[in-house]
Amino acid sequence: MIGRADCLDVERAVHHWKAKGLDLTPLLHQPDLPDTVARRRVRPQDHGIDDTLDNDLIRAAMPALERRSPVDLTAYIRNADRTVGTMLGSEVTMRYGACGLPPDTIRITFTGSAGQSFGAFVPAGMTMRLIGDANDGFGKGLSGGQLIVHPPALAAFKSEDNIVIGNVAFYGATAGEGYVRGVAGERFCVRNSGATVVVEGVGDHGCEYMTGGRVVVLGRTGRNFAAGMSGGIAYVLDLEGLFQRRCNPEMVDLEPLVDAEDIDFISVAIVKHLTYTGSLLAEGLLSDFALVRRHIVKVMPREYRRALAERAKRQGPERERLVEQVVLTHVVASAASNAGTTIHG
């Protein structure tokens, strides 16, 4: 019966009062085809899964997968290699759950141009370095791993002036870290809920609908930054003084960098960025950080600030009760010890 649309009875449907006047003829049209042309699936689809780069990575990473022994791999990558690292990450998750592996258990250095969704959903324990560039979807759904991308050492261009990864990078990331030496395309870190990412510039709609995590932008942003951003924190280096025009202020406040915790976080993030990517931009910023920090704008969602304040208010009494419980337990245990009594529970 597959393909036999001529056998369908549609009278009751089209005569129903909700569908009155609906003409299904174009949908049910039977083309005039020779008998040699099939109207149904006659051969299986081949998605090329058996030939993906991840199969080689999985085989090479078996010591880490089976015994948690660290492995250090290298591979050449091209833009036809898509979702590289995702199948390997799935193997990690199936064996070790959401906790993944210890940091840097699986380290892979790729050279070339990565296809779409490089490092998608990579879990904890995996570090993937890309020497080159990548298409859209870089690090989408990042789930605890670490992704690093930078141009080759002999590249003659300035990374902070050139796009190195495509659109929707780190979309929906939940945990992990990313360090991007270069500029990202549009919709960077949209719906990020827990990852920490450093980048040297982004296109339009950066941090849109972000709910958690932290993002450091060491350069220009496109328009509509932080639209619908309800959580997390973004820090933007605004040397030109134009960021206020490019940010969507509907749900966020723009603040100077004055809090000591924020200053420490930014300095550490830039040091990490320099260490992992060799960024000349980061090196220059650190050489005069006292001046640079005055040009960093903190993007703080109002609802997130309120939620943090409420949590801090709740934690106050909880901490007091915890201290009282610990003291009471200590007193009771001491009294029982002096009396020669054993306390259970």
Side-chain angles (χ1 to χ4, degrees):
M1 294 300 295
I2 297 175
R4 293 296 307 275
D6 58 302
C7 295
L8 292 175
D9 179 12
V10 299
E11 292 299 317
R12 292 180 59 189
V14 298
H15 289 156
H16 190 276
W17 65 271
K18 286 186 178 181
K20 189 175 181 180
L22 183 65
D23 182 12
L24 297 179
T25 302
L27 182 64
L28 303 177
H29 173 69
Q30 289 284 321
D32 186 13
L33 299 174
D35 295 336
T36 55
V37 177
R39 297 176 183 269
R40 60 184 177 86
R41 185 179 73 104
V42 294
R43 64 177 183 271
Q45 287 182 300
D46 181 11
H47 297 286
I49 299 297
D50 294 336
D51 298 324
T52 59
L53 178 56
D54 265 55
N55 289 307
D56 297 331
L57 300 177
I58 291 171
R59 285 189 289 269
M62 275 301 169
L65 295 174
E66 295 179 348
R67 303 185 300 275
R68 303 193 184 201
S69 300
V71 296
D72 199 341
L73 312 175
T74 60
Y76 174 77
I77 193 170
R78 56 196 181 97
N79 60 11
D81 296 317
R82 300 180 178 180
T83 63
V84 171
T86 303
M87 289 172 60
L88 174 58
S90 174
E91 294 291 332
V92 172
T93 302
M94 284 191 293
R95 287 169 167 81
Y96 303 105
C99 294
L101 291 166
D104 287 337
T105 302
I106 300 176
R107 295 191 302 176
I108 313 173
T109 300
F110 299 89
T111 303
S113 294
Q116 294 178 0
S117 302
F118 175 89
F121 308 105
V122 164
M126 290 179 59
T127 297
M128 297 173 57
R129 177 188 300 273
L130 173 62
I131 303 175
D133 52 45
N135 280 267
D136 298 345
F138 183 95
K140 71 179 183 182
L142 182 67
S143 302
Q146 186 181 70
L147 300 182
I148 302 163
V149 57
H150 59 84
L154 298 179
F157 57 84
K158 289 184 178 180
S159 60
E160 63 268 28
D161 294 334
N162 289 271
I163 293 177
V164 70
I165 59 175
N167 300 325
V168 291
F170 298 99
Y171 179 97
T174 60
E177 296 181 347
Y179 299 92
V180 181
R181 181 180 174 181
V183 180
E186 296 183 359
R187 289 194 154 84
F188 182 82
C189 273
V190 170
R191 298 193 185 276
N192 174 32
S193 63
T196 299
V197 187
V198 182
V199 65
E200 298 183 351
V202 299
D204 295 344
H205 315 295
C207 297
E208 187 179 29
Y209 303 123
M210 188 165 138
T211 61
R214 295 193 183 189
V215 173
V216 180
V217 183
L218 302 176
R220 301 184 187 93
T221 71
R223 59 188 176 87
N224 203 36
F225 190 91
M229 180 179 174
S230 60
I233 305 173
Y235 307 88
V236 179
L237 179 61
D238 185 24
L239 294 175
E240 300 174 340
L242 299 175
F243 177 64
Q244 187 172 0
R245 304 181 198 173
R246 296 168 177 169
C247 183
N248 186 323
E250 184 176 356
M251 298 180 65
V252 300
D253 292 323
L254 304 184
E255 306 171 354
L257 197 67
V258 294
D259 186 80
E261 182 181 347
D262 288 328
I263 294 171
D264 290 343
F265 170 78
I266 290 293
S267 62
V268 170
I270 297 177
V271 168
K272 282 186 172 183
H273 187 62
L274 170 60
T275 303
Y276 292 135
T277 70
S279 170
L280 298 178
L281 173 63
E283 185 178 25
L285 296 176
L286 289 172
S287 66
D288 195 0
F289 184 71
L291 174 64
V292 167
R293 79 183 192 189
R294 292 201 291 269
H295 293 277
I296 293 178
V297 179
K298 179 180 179 180
V299 183
M300 187 67 176
R302 301 185 193 100
E303 284 298 308
Y304 188 54
R305 187 204 310 280
R306 182 184 60 79
L308 291 177
E310 289 182 358
R311 185 176 69 177
K313 186 177 180 180
R314 289 195 306 268
Q315 285 180 342
E318 291 175 1
R319 288 176 179 172
E320 292 178 3
R321 286 195 298 270
L322 180 60
V323 171
E324 292 176 357
Q325 183 178 0
V326 170
V327 171
L328 179 61
T329 302
H330 178 70
V331 171
V332 172
S334 298
S337 177
N338 293 334
T341 305
T342 302
I343 302 294
H344 297 282

